[in-house]
């Protein structure tokens, strides 16, 4: 049996889903990945 996610993990999943307009984490991650990949190079954070 899988362990319950922490409150922080649930909050992160909720925020990711809301910000990407999805209802499940996997599609939210895929959408976020596509959105980030489409950002112009100059708009990305650098180290």
């Amino acid at each position: 049996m899988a362990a319950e996610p922490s409150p922080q993990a649930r909050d992160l999943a909720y925020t990711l889903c809301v910000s990407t307009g999805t209802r499940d984490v996997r599609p939210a991650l895929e959408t976020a990945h596509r959105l980030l990949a489409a950002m112009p190079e100059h708009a990305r954070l650098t180290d």
Side-chain angles (χ1 to χ4, degrees):
M1 180 175 262
E4 279 292 311
S6 69
Q8 294 87 357
R10 285 194 304 269
D11 288 346
L12 179 59
Y14 174 80
T15 301
L16 182 62
C17 288
V18 168
S19 64
T20 57
T22 60
R23 292 180 171 232
D24 294 310
V25 173
R26 187 172 308 274
L29 289 170
E30 292 167 355
T31 299
H33 185 263
R34 280 195 310 276
L35 291 170
L36 291 171
M39 287 181 64
E41 187 69 35
H42 69 275
R44 296 180 188 173
L45 296 176
T46 58
D47 292 311

